[in-house]
Amino acid sequence: METLRPSTEEDLPFLREVYAASRAEELDQVEWPPGQREAFVRMQFDLQDAQYRGGNPDGSFDVVEVDGTPAGRLYVDRRPDDIRIIDIALLPRFRGAGIGGRLLQALLDEAAASRRTASIHVEVHNRAARLYERLGFRPAAERGLYRLMEWSAA
C-alpha cells in the first residue's frame, strides 16, 4: 500500500536517485567520464527542485512510500481552481504496478470533490502521457518540449 509523507532534507539523496532514474534513458545516451554523470544529475536535480519549490511555494512535496519503503515522489500545488501535479516519478522497480494510477486517481477524486480541474505538464515524448489520457486528461496547450494536459469532472 502506498502512502505519502512530506519530504525532508534527509530525503535529498533518495530524491536525487528518483530524478536520475527518471532521466536514465536520456542520460544513458552519453558516455560520461567518471563522476561527471553524478555531478550533472546533482546539478540538474538541485535546479529543478529550486524551480519547483520557488514556483509553487504552497505546494506539497511528498515522498511516495510503498509498504514503508521510499518508492518515488509526488509534488502537487493545490490552487484555488486547479490541482497542479508538479511532478510524479517512481523508481523503476515500482513502475507498472498501478501505484502512479492510484495516486493520480486520488488527486482526480479530490479535484472532482472540490470542483477543481487537475493539470500536469508532460514532456511531449513521455510514455506516461498514455496513462494521463486513460485517466481523462486532455491536451490543452503545447509549450516547447512540454504539453499541458488538463482534466475536468465536467
Side-chain angles (χ1 to χ4, degrees):
M1 184 68 182
E2 55 272 353
T3 57
L4 300 174
R5 65 167 176 79
S7 63
T8 67
E9 287 288 318
E10 290 77 34
D11 291 310
L12 285 175
F14 169 73
L15 294 170
R16 283 188 196 99
E17 178 185 356
V18 172
Y19 175 81
S22 73
R23 308 307 311 184
E25 190 174 308
E26 174 187 353
L27 296 173
D28 287 346
Q29 296 180 31
V30 176
E31 197 163 318
W32 300 89
Q36 191 172 17
R37 180 176 175 150
E38 294 78 11
F40 179 80
V41 165
R42 182 183 184 99
M43 178 186 69
Q44 292 295 301
F45 169 82
D46 290 349
L47 288 169
Q48 182 191 69
D49 192 62
Q51 178 186 13
Y52 283 171
R53 291 174 188 275
N56 304 280
D58 297 321
S60 60
F61 297 86
D62 294 323
V63 171
V64 177
E65 291 186 339
V66 176
D67 298 324
T69 301
R73 67 184 189 180
L74 177 61
Y75 297 169
V76 179
D77 191 2
R78 289 167 174 85
R79 300 171 180 182
D81 297 323
D82 180 58
I83 294 179
R84 174 63 54 91
I85 301 157
I86 303 164
D87 189 63
I88 181 170
L90 298 169
L91 291 175
R93 69 181 177 272
F94 294 99
R95 296 177 192 158
I99 297 164
R102 287 190 296 275
L103 292 168
L104 291 168
Q105 188 60 58
L107 291 171
L108 298 181
D109 293 346
E110 179 185 343
S114 61
R115 301 188 198 306
R116 289 182 277 183
T117 58
S119 62
I120 187 170
H121 281 99
V122 183
E123 287 185 3
V124 174
H125 301 293
N126 187 331
R127 292 186 297 258
R130 291 190 300 258
L131 169 63
Y132 307 137
E133 289 170 355
R134 281 196 311 269
L135 291 170
F137 284 86
R138 298 291 170 249
E142 298 284 331
R143 296 189 175 132
L145 296 174
Y146 294 90
R147 176 177 296 132
L148 176 65
M149 298 185 77
E150 293 181 341
W151 176 93
S152 174

